[in-house]
Structures are given as C-alpha cells and as structure tokens.
Amino acid sequence: SAEPSKRVVVVEGFLLFAHERIRRHFNHCLLLTISVDTCFFRRQTTKWVPAEYFNKILWPEYVRNCLPIVDCSWLFILNGEESEESILAKVQVESLLLISHSHLSLPSPA
C-alpha cells in the first residue's frame, strides 16, 4: 500500500509559540534570535514605538512567548544577527537534513 503523503506547512511569527493548541502541531521549529538592541532598531525602522513601551511590553513578551518553543521536538536556533546569506544557507542545509530524515520530498522544479 502507498504511504500517506506528508505535508509541510511553514508558519511565521513568534506569537504562534505562545498558543499550545497551535504549537502542538509543530514537529519542527526554527527560531531566529536577536539582541534587544537589534530588535529595538528593527522595530523602529518598521513601526516606531516609544522606547519605554518596547522595553516594558514588546521585548518581555518576545522573551516570554519564545520560551514554549522548548516543547518542539526539533528545534533549530539561528543567530538573526548574521547576514541573510548565512542564515539562508544554514536553513537550506537544515531543511535538506530534515527532509532526508523524515522521508519528505521537495516539489519538482517547474
């Protein structure tokens, strides 16, 4: 009999880790970590917020909501301060390892 097909779904957003009902469906997790200073700088370039709001609410919530990720059966932590090229290369290598160990297949190129 044919094996059931396996699906890969990629979701983005650290707040997803805070919801156990969602998190329990994750078999594999990837977390980009950054320093508080980098996070504040990036936040200010996308949507300005007062420093006090960032320091008292946004950053503590980021830290608190990333803690449940330890429930994930496969965790890959990346330094979000590295270059995009370096991060993408590491994600590619880890994705290929994941696929080879879980009998998933990549779609054929169009």
mmCIF file of all heavy atoms in Angstrom, residues 4 7 10 16 20 24 30 33 40 47 50 53 56 60-61 68-69 78 84-85 87 96 110:
data_model
loop_
_atom_site.group_PDB
_atom_site.id
_atom_site.type_symbol
_atom_site.label_atom_id
_atom_site.label_comp_id
_atom_site.label_asym_id
_atom_site.label_seq_id
_atom_site.Cartn_x
_atom_site.Cartn_y
_atom_site.Cartn_z
ATOM 1 N N PRO A 4 1.039 7.332 3.171
ATOM 2 C CA PRO A 4 0.294 8.590 3.118
ATOM 3 C C PRO A 4 1.246 9.743 2.828
ATOM 4 O O PRO A 4 2.412 9.710 3.205
ATOM 5 C CB PRO A 4 -0.306 8.719 4.520
ATOM 6 C CG PRO A 4 0.504 7.822 5.382
ATOM 7 C CD PRO A 4 1.063 6.756 4.487
ATOM 8 N N ARG A 7 2.784 16.484 4.602
ATOM 9 C CA ARG A 7 2.664 17.884 4.234
ATOM 10 C C ARG A 7 3.634 18.731 5.033
ATOM 11 O O ARG A 7 3.901 18.450 6.187
ATOM 12 C CB ARG A 7 1.248 18.378 4.499
ATOM 13 C CG ARG A 7 0.240 17.681 3.648
ATOM 14 C CD ARG A 7 -1.113 18.199 3.938
ATOM 15 N NE ARG A 7 -2.067 17.443 3.143
ATOM 16 C CZ ARG A 7 -3.324 17.716 3.080
ATOM 17 N NH1 ARG A 7 -3.826 18.718 3.754
ATOM 18 N NH2 ARG A 7 -4.129 16.994 2.339
ATOM 19 N N VAL A 10 4.720 25.950 6.499
ATOM 20 C CA VAL A 10 5.613 26.897 7.144
ATOM 21 C C VAL A 10 4.764 28.035 7.697
ATOM 22 O O VAL A 10 3.967 28.625 6.966
ATOM 23 C CB VAL A 10 6.663 27.449 6.153
ATOM 24 C CG1 VAL A 10 7.546 28.492 6.824
ATOM 25 C CG2 VAL A 10 7.486 26.308 5.574
ATOM 26 N N LEU A 16 3.025 32.530 17.687
ATOM 27 C CA LEU A 16 2.439 31.197 17.498
ATOM 28 C C LEU A 16 2.944 30.211 18.550
ATOM 29 O O LEU A 16 2.244 29.274 18.919
ATOM 30 C CB LEU A 16 2.752 30.669 16.104
ATOM 31 C CG LEU A 16 2.093 31.435 14.969
ATOM 32 C CD1 LEU A 16 2.695 31.048 13.645
ATOM 33 C CD2 LEU A 16 0.596 31.200 14.975
ATOM 34 N N GLU A 20 -0.538 26.844 22.812
ATOM 35 C CA GLU A 20 -0.292 25.403 22.873
ATOM 36 C C GLU A 20 -1.113 24.647 21.837
ATOM 37 O O GLU A 20 -0.638 23.685 21.239
ATOM 38 C CB GLU A 20 -0.563 24.877 24.285
ATOM 39 C CG GLU A 20 0.001 23.488 24.539
ATOM 40 C CD GLU A 20 -0.883 22.370 24.011
ATOM 41 O OE1 GLU A 20 -2.113 22.536 23.988
ATOM 42 O OE2 GLU A 20 -0.329 21.330 23.604
ATOM 43 N N ARG A 24 1.305 22.490 19.383
ATOM 44 C CA ARG A 24 1.361 21.023 19.444
ATOM 45 C C ARG A 24 1.378 20.378 18.058
ATOM 46 O O ARG A 24 1.693 19.200 17.911
ATOM 47 C CB ARG A 24 0.221 20.474 20.293
ATOM 48 C CG ARG A 24 -1.138 20.612 19.666
ATOM 49 C CD ARG A 24 -2.199 19.949 20.524
ATOM 50 N NE ARG A 24 -3.508 20.183 19.954
ATOM 51 C CZ ARG A 24 -4.571 20.501 20.648
ATOM 52 N NH1 ARG A 24 -4.500 20.607 21.959
ATOM 53 N NH2 ARG A 24 -5.717 20.693 20.050
ATOM 54 N N LEU A 30 11.973 26.595 14.045
ATOM 55 C CA LEU A 30 13.144 27.387 13.745
ATOM 56 C C LEU A 30 12.967 28.721 14.466
ATOM 57 O O LEU A 30 11.913 29.330 14.379
ATOM 58 C CB LEU A 30 13.239 27.619 12.241
ATOM 59 C CG LEU A 30 14.402 28.455 11.780
ATOM 60 C CD1 LEU A 30 15.077 27.760 10.611
ATOM 61 C CD2 LEU A 30 13.951 29.821 11.388
ATOM 62 N N THR A 33 17.160 34.294 16.722
ATOM 63 C CA THR A 33 17.373 35.085 17.924
ATOM 64 C C THR A 33 18.125 36.356 17.569
ATOM 65 O O THR A 33 18.961 36.361 16.662
ATOM 66 C CB THR A 33 18.183 34.294 18.975
ATOM 67 O OG1 THR A 33 19.450 33.951 18.419
ATOM 68 C CG2 THR A 33 17.444 33.044 19.406
ATOM 69 N N PHE A 40 15.130 46.337 18.884
ATOM 70 C CA PHE A 40 14.633 47.713 19.016
ATOM 71 C C PHE A 40 14.902 48.494 17.736
ATOM 72 O O PHE A 40 14.006 49.164 17.214
ATOM 73 C CB PHE A 40 15.281 48.409 20.214
ATOM 74 C CG PHE A 40 14.801 49.822 20.397
ATOM 75 C CD1 PHE A 40 13.515 50.071 20.855
ATOM 76 C CD2 PHE A 40 15.625 50.891 20.113
ATOM 77 C CE1 PHE A 40 13.046 51.372 21.019
ATOM 78 C CE2 PHE A 40 15.178 52.196 20.274
ATOM 79 C CZ PHE A 40 13.890 52.437 20.730
ATOM 80 N N LYS A 47 8.058 50.131 12.457
ATOM 81 C CA LYS A 47 6.930 50.824 13.097
ATOM 82 C C LYS A 47 7.442 51.421 14.395
ATOM 83 O O LYS A 47 7.701 50.705 15.362
ATOM 84 C CB LYS A 47 5.778 49.856 13.374
ATOM 85 C CG LYS A 47 4.572 50.535 13.979
ATOM 86 C CD LYS A 47 3.437 49.572 14.209
ATOM 87 C CE LYS A 47 2.273 50.321 14.816
ATOM 88 N NZ LYS A 47 1.197 49.402 15.192
ATOM 89 N N PRO A 50 7.548 54.070 21.305
ATOM 90 C CA PRO A 50 8.387 54.664 22.351
ATOM 91 C C PRO A 50 9.286 53.605 22.989
ATOM 92 O O PRO A 50 8.889 52.449 23.152
ATOM 93 C CB PRO A 50 7.378 55.208 23.366
ATOM 94 C CG PRO A 50 6.079 55.305 22.629
ATOM 95 C CD PRO A 50 6.124 54.244 21.566
ATOM 96 N N TYR A 53 7.757 51.700 25.925
ATOM 97 C CA TYR A 53 6.799 50.665 25.526
ATOM 98 C C TYR A 53 7.537 49.413 25.049
ATOM 99 O O TYR A 53 7.187 48.291 25.407
ATOM 100 C CB TYR A 53 5.878 51.200 24.429
ATOM 101 C CG TYR A 53 4.879 50.199 23.921
ATOM 102 C CD1 TYR A 53 3.755 49.883 24.669
ATOM 103 C CD2 TYR A 53 5.060 49.559 22.702
ATOM 104 C CE1 TYR A 53 2.827 48.961 24.206
ATOM 105 C CE2 TYR A 53 4.142 48.632 22.228
ATOM 106 C CZ TYR A 53 3.030 48.343 22.994
ATOM 107 O OH TYR A 53 2.122 47.425 22.546
ATOM 108 N N LYS A 56 9.233 47.735 28.208
ATOM 109 C CA LYS A 56 8.331 47.213 29.241
ATOM 110 C C LYS A 56 7.324 46.209 28.702
ATOM 111 O O LYS A 56 6.821 45.379 29.460
ATOM 112 C CB LYS A 56 7.593 48.356 29.932
ATOM 113 C CG LYS A 56 8.504 49.174 30.814
ATOM 114 C CD LYS A 56 7.727 50.163 31.638
ATOM 115 C CE LYS A 56 8.681 50.886 32.576
ATOM 116 N NZ LYS A 56 7.970 51.766 33.487
ATOM 117 N N PRO A 60 9.790 42.051 26.604
ATOM 118 C CA PRO A 60 9.440 40.989 27.552
ATOM 119 C C PRO A 60 8.450 39.972 26.972
ATOM 120 O O PRO A 60 8.538 38.778 27.265
ATOM 121 C CB PRO A 60 8.844 41.739 28.743
ATOM 122 C CG PRO A 60 9.448 43.103 28.675
ATOM 123 C CD PRO A 60 9.599 43.382 27.207
ATOM 124 N N GLU A 61 7.527 40.413 26.137
ATOM 125 C CA GLU A 61 6.580 39.485 25.512
ATOM 126 C C GLU A 61 7.276 38.581 24.509
ATOM 127 O O GLU A 61 6.949 37.398 24.398
ATOM 128 C CB GLU A 61 5.426 40.241 24.850
ATOM 129 C CG GLU A 61 4.438 40.798 25.853
ATOM 130 C CD GLU A 61 3.802 39.701 26.692
ATOM 131 O OE1 GLU A 61 3.182 38.774 26.127
ATOM 132 O OE2 GLU A 61 3.922 39.762 27.932
ATOM 133 N N PRO A 68 8.062 28.773 25.236
ATOM 134 C CA PRO A 68 7.381 27.494 24.961
ATOM 135 C C PRO A 68 7.965 26.706 23.806
ATOM 136 O O PRO A 68 7.626 25.553 23.613
ATOM 137 C CB PRO A 68 5.945 27.925 24.642
ATOM 138 C CG PRO A 68 5.785 29.247 25.285
ATOM 139 C CD PRO A 68 7.138 29.891 25.212
ATOM 140 N N ILE A 69 8.844 27.291 23.036
ATOM 141 C CA ILE A 69 9.425 26.581 21.900
ATOM 142 C C ILE A 69 10.173 25.325 22.348
ATOM 143 O O ILE A 69 10.370 24.410 21.569
ATOM 144 C CB ILE A 69 10.339 27.517 21.082
ATOM 145 C CG1 ILE A 69 10.614 26.919 19.709
ATOM 146 C CG2 ILE A 69 11.626 27.783 21.792
ATOM 147 C CD1 ILE A 69 11.324 27.865 18.781
ATOM 148 N N LEU A 78 18.826 29.935 15.178
ATOM 149 C CA LEU A 78 19.727 30.684 14.314
ATOM 150 C C LEU A 78 20.002 32.048 14.907
ATOM 151 O O LEU A 78 19.128 32.660 15.509
ATOM 152 C CB LEU A 78 19.089 30.897 12.937
ATOM 153 C CG LEU A 78 18.968 29.680 12.053
ATOM 154 C CD1 LEU A 78 18.017 29.962 10.908
ATOM 155 C CD2 LEU A 78 20.338 29.313 11.506
ATOM 156 N N GLU A 84 21.939 37.732 5.860
ATOM 157 C CA GLU A 84 20.845 36.972 5.256
ATOM 158 C C GLU A 84 21.376 35.752 4.523
ATOM 159 O O GLU A 84 20.784 34.674 4.590
ATOM 160 C CB GLU A 84 20.055 37.843 4.274
ATOM 161 C CG GLU A 84 19.139 38.839 4.936
ATOM 162 C CD GLU A 84 18.326 39.625 3.920
ATOM 163 O OE1 GLU A 84 17.938 39.058 2.870
ATOM 164 O OE2 GLU A 84 18.090 40.813 4.177
ATOM 165 N N GLU A 85 22.486 35.916 3.828
ATOM 166 C CA GLU A 85 23.068 34.814 3.057
ATOM 167 C C GLU A 85 23.459 33.660 3.974
ATOM 168 O O GLU A 85 23.219 32.495 3.666
ATOM 169 C CB GLU A 85 24.288 35.287 2.257
ATOM 170 C CG GLU A 85 23.975 36.273 1.157
ATOM 171 C CD GLU A 85 23.799 37.724 1.653
ATOM 172 O OE1 GLU A 85 24.175 38.024 2.813
ATOM 173 O OE2 GLU A 85 23.268 38.542 0.898
ATOM 174 N N ILE A 87 22.280 32.993 7.014
ATOM 175 C CA ILE A 87 21.068 32.392 7.588
ATOM 176 C C ILE A 87 20.393 31.494 6.571
ATOM 177 O O ILE A 87 20.031 30.350 6.877
ATOM 178 C CB ILE A 87 20.107 33.478 8.094
ATOM 179 C CG1 ILE A 87 20.708 34.194 9.309
ATOM 180 C CG2 ILE A 87 18.742 32.886 8.433
ATOM 181 C CD1 ILE A 87 19.955 35.439 9.739
ATOM 182 N N LEU A 96 17.364 20.332 4.210
ATOM 183 C CA LEU A 96 17.723 19.116 3.485
ATOM 184 C C LEU A 96 17.934 17.948 4.445
ATOM 185 O O LEU A 96 17.531 16.819 4.157
ATOM 186 C CB LEU A 96 18.958 19.353 2.620
ATOM 187 C CG LEU A 96 18.744 20.288 1.430
ATOM 188 C CD1 LEU A 96 20.067 20.618 0.749
ATOM 189 C CD2 LEU A 96 17.756 19.694 0.441
ATOM 190 N N ALA A 110 9.662 23.677 -11.523
ATOM 191 C CA ALA A 110 8.726 23.898 -12.651
ATOM 192 C C ALA A 110 9.455 24.077 -13.944
ATOM 193 O O ALA A 110 10.568 24.411 -14.027
ATOM 194 C CB ALA A 110 7.862 25.121 -12.357
#
